[in-house]
Amino acid sequence: MYDPTRLTALVAVAETGSITRAAAHLGYTAPALSQQLAKLEREAGATLLVRHHRGARLTAAGELLAGRARRVLDELEQARHELAQLAGLSGGRLRVGTFTTAGVHLLPPVLSAFRRAHPDVELAVTEYEPPDGVAAVTAGEVDLALTHTYEPAVADPPPAGVTVEPLLVEELVLATAVGHRLSEGTGRLPVAELAGRPLISSAPAHPPRRGVESALAAAGAAPAVVCESPGYALVCALVSAGLGVAVVPEMVASLSATPLAVRRLEPAEFRRTISVVHRGDRATAAAATLLALLRSGFGRAAA
């Protein structure tokens, strides 16, 4: 049984006349493609390629196998297309909701993998500030949505018929300007150390962050700037400019466009959970497929 990946490599060399050009076309390095071809030659028990200074040419055995390989690969592509039709993934539309951080940093590679596997499905992406994505799934505006919740907070139960499935949990960390005194040291900073410190208060009226803001206020952190934007780009810019410190998700701090110093807090009870909202067993085939990709993709992101 020949590996389809190696058959694809052989056909690419036949069509380009060069291992280097074939590797670039397939997204491999030339050494990696050479290894695949060497394995194929061992499987075939014959020399398939002759390398020369201008590239490579197929031997008679290589031409024979490449001709058969084209037919096999065409049949496999047709099977993929027919299976997609059976699964409801040929044509149609998949509507996805997201919030800014996930939409910029986590969702694109997952959607890219979905598009490669199912190019005929039309994708539509809409931005919702949590918890609006939950309502959008409930109302049928989107097929599934990414949302988040914060701790400490009291989370509202999801509406009937809607599942909220956690994908990624990250700590909230202290973000300061580079060289700020609170950024010194490698241990966790007690939250009590924020007492009296100027704080960039991030959207205090925003429902998901109300609990965090209340906990920081209880610790004595005094708002110096109230930033009503639910997005974190402005918060990070104000912190970087030295106008105060802020407690933000670890991902936000690490991907900030402006320079920041970061320190973990004690106790480590400040967290953000990123979840996907879907309709469970009533999800469409396209939504179920994207959901599986989100589970694996966000797992790698967490690692």
Side-chain angles (χ1 to χ4, degrees):
M1 183 69 68
Y2 297 116
D3 187 323
T5 301
R6 294 168 195 159
L7 294 177
T8 301
L10 181 66
V11 171
V13 173
E15 293 175 348
T16 63
S18 163
I19 291 176
T20 300
R21 288 192 292 272
H25 174 71
L26 296 174
Y28 288 90
T29 63
L33 192 68
S34 293
Q35 290 179 6
Q36 293 294 326
L37 293 167
K39 291 177 182 178
L40 182 60
E41 288 183 319
R42 289 196 293 271
E43 290 174 350
T47 300
L48 304 176
L49 297 168
V50 175
R51 294 162 176 79
H52 52 81
H53 66 281
R54 289 195 300 262
R57 65 174 177 82
L58 271 60
T59 63
E63 290 287 357
L64 186 154
L65 184 57
R68 299 285 186 181
R70 288 186 179 93
R71 298 179 203 171
V72 170
L73 294 171
D74 286 345
E75 287 293 328
L76 288 174
E77 175 59 23
Q78 181 62 27
R80 183 203 68 78
H81 179 72
E82 292 173 359
L83 287 170
Q85 287 183 315
L86 288 174
L89 294 176
S90 182
R93 190 181 191 200
L94 177 61
R95 301 163 302 165
V96 183
T98 185
F99 60 97
T100 302
T101 306
V104 172
H105 301 295
L106 296 175
L107 186 59
V110 179
L111 288 180
S112 179
F114 181 91
R115 169 56 57 83
R116 288 195 301 271
H118 309 292
D120 298 327
V121 177
E122 179 187 346
L123 292 174
V125 180
T126 304
E127 186 172 359
Y128 294 95
E129 185 57 38
D132 294 345
V134 179
V137 175
T138 304
E141 296 174 6
V142 292
D143 299 300
L144 74 173
L146 295 172
T147 189
H148 60 55
T149 55
Y150 284 77
E151 293 179 49
V154 178
D156 295 326
V162 169
T163 299
V164 179
E165 180 180 331
L167 293 171
L168 174 65
V169 179
E170 58 177 333
E171 282 191 39
L172 304 186
V173 296
L174 180 70
T176 71
V178 176
H180 193 284
R181 191 181 72 79
L182 290 181
S183 68
E184 297 173 356
T186 56
R188 290 181 177 271
L189 180 75
V191 175
E193 291 292 318
L194 299 181
R197 302 286 179 183
L199 179 75
I200 308 296
S201 185
S202 180
H206 191 242
R209 298 188 204 160
R210 231 174 253 145
V212 174
E213 295 286 333
S214 297
L216 292 173
V225 178
V226 174
C227 182
E228 293 290 354
S229 169
Y232 278 114
L234 179 55
V235 172
C236 291
L238 296 174
V239 170
S240 183
L243 295 174
V245 301
V247 175
V248 302
E250 189 171 14
M251 185 189 312
V252 168
S254 65
L255 298 171
S256 172
T258 50
L260 297 175
V262 175
R263 191 164 178 189
R264 295 183 183 274
L265 295 168
E266 179 65 41
E269 62 183 20
F270 293 88
R271 292 184 289 269
R272 179 172 76 166
T273 300
I274 296 175
S275 302
V276 58
V277 187
H278 57 89
R279 298 191 186 92
D281 294 339
R282 297 183 296 115
T284 65
T289 300
L290 184 64
L291 179 59
L293 290 171
L294 285 168
R295 288 167 178 152
S296 61
F298 275 62
R300 287 194 293 272

